[in-house]
Amino acid sequence: MNSRRFALGAAALALALRLGFTALFMWRGMDATYGRDLYYNLALSWLGWAPPFAYDATHPPLYTAMIAAVLGFFRSANPLPVMLVQCVLGALSVPMTYWAGKRLCDEKTARWAAVWVAVDPGLIFFTPQLATETLFVAMELAFFIWLLDEVKRKPSPRLAAVGLWGGLTVMCRSVLGGYPAFLFLALWRARGLAKAFVFCAVMGIGWLAPSFIWSKRNERKYGHQNHLDVMGWNIYEGFSTDREVIRRRPDEMADEARVAGVYGDPIATGKYFMAKTKAFARENPLEAARIVAGKALLYWRPWPYEPHTWWQRYALSAYFTILFAMALFGARTVWSNPDWAPVWALFAYLSVVHSVFFTSLRYRMPLEPFLCLLAALGLSRLLSRRRA
């Protein structure tokens, strides 16, 4: 089977599975069980179909814009067209995994990885949900396909365009914003200081442009730029390894913000809880270090939490345990390969970020295609040993 036919077939398999799960998701009313992020309500507000939000700068705009564009095109607030678009995006992630895999390993392994992504329960599960995962993964894969090509060439204006796409991906989920710093460190180790500096400097020209425009928009609309202090709520809310504490904390934080007189002002509230987190870390450095280390382990846990049922948790725990084991087996074969430096930078960066910010299984989904690729490498290696 040639490459084009394989890519189309794998994408068709992925689309069928995602459409099927979307139908199940709607039939079982899972939207009420798992809830929605704020993006859908923001989109309704942007369209004038809901009251305007007092402040919308805390959420990157790209996913909200996609929802608004789809709903506006169909002139309906029904979220089904958005879910169908996400099914297509999820299906497109399969050939993109295949194309990224061909840049990092052999054709056969890249095909196995694509099929693995097509059937991956984590990626399928988030497809019908009105959250950033599906769009973000598709944009991230496109970014890495281009990045993996550019890292083998001399820096050129094309690299700035790749950086621009990366910057737009940040506008889908801001957590990726600091990735170039880790990419610089990885390329420094793989290719030397001078090459790493020039590469990241050229890429950074495009990378910073969307964030700069978004900050200027916020400054014009709200009188200040969006900055890290806004994330103080997110950091403090998840700064614990105790599930009961994390469950109670949002309500407790809201009550505390009211008493402090900052409730309703996202900037003031963010600054308040950022200062509280920093004060806690200064006064309890060992406990803060323990929490960060514990959150790093929780980020890589194989089991999901409720509202998944007990059998879903056991099944997914078994799946992710197998995925991690095979990925570790595959990583041993390519650990020293410099072509993998951008991927290792992504793994390190997201692991560090979610050791500080809120940690959830969903925030590991951007790594899922690369975990599937590594697992396919591990499976290939295991089968080769058995044949030998």
Side-chain angles (χ1 to χ4, degrees):
M1 184 185 296
N2 64 35
S3 296
R4 181 175 296 180
R5 288 179 61 190
F6 169 79
L8 288 173
L13 171 64
L15 182 61
L17 291 172
R18 282 152 178 78
L19 287 172
F21 182 72
T22 297
L24 177 66
F25 190 88
M26 297 182 67
W27 177 58
R28 296 291 298 273
M30 294 185 190
D31 187 35
T33 302
Y34 295 104
R36 296 176 179 176
D37 286 349
L38 188 61
Y39 298 97
Y40 176 76
N41 293 332
L42 279 171
L44 294 181
S45 175
W46 284 13
L47 289 167
W49 299 349
F53 275 73
Y55 189 78
D56 66 356
T58 55
H59 285 65
L62 199 61
Y63 184 60
T64 301
M66 188 201 85
I67 295 176
V70 174
L71 297 182
F73 179 81
F74 287 97
R75 299 182 180 180
S76 170
N78 188 337
L80 178 59
V82 179
M83 297 178 183
L84 296 178
V85 168
Q86 291 183 176
C87 287
V88 174
L89 288 171
L92 288 175
S93 295
V94 171
M96 286 196 286
T97 301
Y98 169 58
W99 296 328
K102 289 206 297 182
R103 288 158 172 80
L104 292 168
C105 54
D106 60 276
E107 170 82 17
K108 185 176 181 180
T109 302
R111 292 190 177 200
W112 284 358
V115 174
W116 203 316
V117 167
V119 303
D120 181 82
L123 295 172
I124 292 173
F125 174 75
F126 282 104
T127 301
Q129 298 191 48
L130 298 178
T132 60
E133 273 71 24
T134 301
L135 175 62
F136 182 76
V137 168
M139 294 187 68
E140 173 202 55
L141 281 170
F143 168 70
F144 270 88
I145 289 170
W146 295 325
L147 178 67
L148 293 170
D149 283 338
E150 291 303 314
V151 82
K152 299 175 182 179
R153 300 170 177 155
K154 293 182 179 179
S156 68
R158 185 172 51 243
L159 177 57
V162 174
L164 177 61
W165 183 261
L168 289 172
T169 307
V170 173
M171 291 293 97
C172 180
R173 180 179 286 176
S174 58
V175 68
L176 195 64
Y179 169 72
F182 278 69
L183 177 63
F184 168 72
L185 294 175
L187 293 179
W188 183 357
R189 176 179 176 273
R191 303 183 185 280
L193 176 60
K195 290 182 179 179
F197 177 80
V198 173
F199 186 92
C200 291
V202 175
M203 191 184 80
I205 295 171
W207 186 277
L208 295 173
S211 296
F212 177 79
I213 294 170
W214 180 241
S215 295
K216 287 301 179 182
R217 175 263 190 187
N218 295 333
E219 186 176 28
R220 176 175 295 182
K221 187 172 182 179
Y222 300 112
H224 55 77
Q225 297 182 8
N226 192 7
H227 48 79
L228 187 61
D229 282 339
V230 178
M231 303 303 296
W233 179 288
N234 181 284
I235 293 176
Y236 187 76
E237 180 186 3
F239 205 69
S240 173
T241 56
D242 188 320
R243 284 288 297 164
E244 291 303 319
V245 170
I246 292 175
R247 285 193 188 98
R248 298 193 308 265
R249 187 159 279 181
D251 293 334
E252 293 173 352
M253 290 171 68
D255 292 339
E256 185 175 345
R258 290 187 183 96
V259 172
V262 296
Y263 188 78
D265 183 341
I267 295 294
T269 303
K271 287 183 177 181
Y272 177 85
F273 286 109
M274 179 69 78
K276 187 170 183 177
T277 307
K278 290 178 179 178
F280 175 83
R282 285 194 301 267
E283 296 167 8
N284 307 276
L286 293 179
E287 178 64 12
R290 185 196 68 79
I291 290 173
V292 169
K295 282 165 61 66
L297 293 174
L298 287 176
Y299 181 67
W300 284 102
R301 71 186 189 276
W303 62 90
Y305 293 131
E306 59 281 340
H308 294 288
T309 62
W310 68 267
W311 70 266
Q312 289 171 331
R313 293 200 295 271
Y314 281 123
L316 288 171
S317 296
Y319 169 76
F320 284 118
T321 298
I322 294 170
L323 178 67
F324 292 165
M326 297 305 298
L328 285 171
F329 197 49
R332 293 178 59 188
T333 67
V334 293
W335 176 249
S336 59
N337 186 339
D339 292 342
W340 280 78
V343 178
W344 303 139
L346 182 68
F347 273 77
Y349 172 67
L350 291 180
S351 297
V352 169
V353 166
H354 289 296
S355 298
V356 179
F357 287 84
F358 199 93
T359 300
S360 174
L361 194 66
R362 63 182 289 190
Y363 298 137
R364 206 176 60 225
M365 287 302 105
L367 296 175
E368 202 78 356
F370 300 104
L371 284 169
C372 292
L373 181 56
L374 288 169
L377 276 167
L379 180 62
S380 177
R381 184 184 179 193
L382 184 63
L383 293 176
S384 296
R385 282 190 173 188
R386 290 192 63 182
R387 285 195 295 268

